Amino acid sequence: MTQAKRVVRSDLWLNPVFDARLAQEQDISLGVFPVRGNPAAAWDMLAGAHVYHVSAAKDELPQEWFATGELIARCPRLFCVSSSGAGYDTVDVPA
């Protein structure tokens, strides 16, 4: 049995098809954290994430949740960052 892949995203609006599609996979679990609220709970989710699906909306996503070198360093299991929307302004690609 393979280990479940953990996908984490924020609670910013995303087409519900994203969550529905992931729910069809037995080896993928999804965690959704609030961008405003309890940062410790969000960091707990992100620390166990294999995939971070980040919003590309830099005006809506607080900078704390941008995919930066600092965020990546706090997520030891992370192997992929993906973005939704047009572009990837919230992702520090070189990091």
Side-chain angles (χ1 to χ4, degrees):
M1 185 170 163
T2 60
Q3 180 184 7
K5 296 164 198 77
R6 182 80 170 143
V7 177
V8 175
R9 70 172 185 83
S10 74
D11 64 352
L12 293 179
W13 186 88
L14 183 65
N15 190 316
V17 169
F18 182 86
D19 292 0
R21 178 63 184 93
L22 292 183
Q24 293 176 12
E25 300 299 322
Q26 292 182 4
D27 65 340
I28 296 177
S29 66
L30 175 64
V32 180
F33 69 88
V35 294
R36 291 169 184 79
N38 184 352
W43 284 116
D44 283 345
M45 274 191 218
L46 285 165
H50 298 107
V51 177
Y52 178 34
H53 187 72
V54 63
S55 170
K58 66 181 179 179
D59 296 335
E60 296 174 12
L61 185 70
Q63 286 192 352
E64 177 178 21
W65 308 121
F66 283 24
T68 62
E70 180 182 334
L71 182 138
I72 292 167
R74 293 182 69 173
C75 303
R77 297 182 177 153
L78 193 65
F79 64 83
C80 177
V81 172
S82 63
S83 66
S84 61
Y88 48 93
D89 289 342
T90 58
V91 178
D92 179 354
V93 176

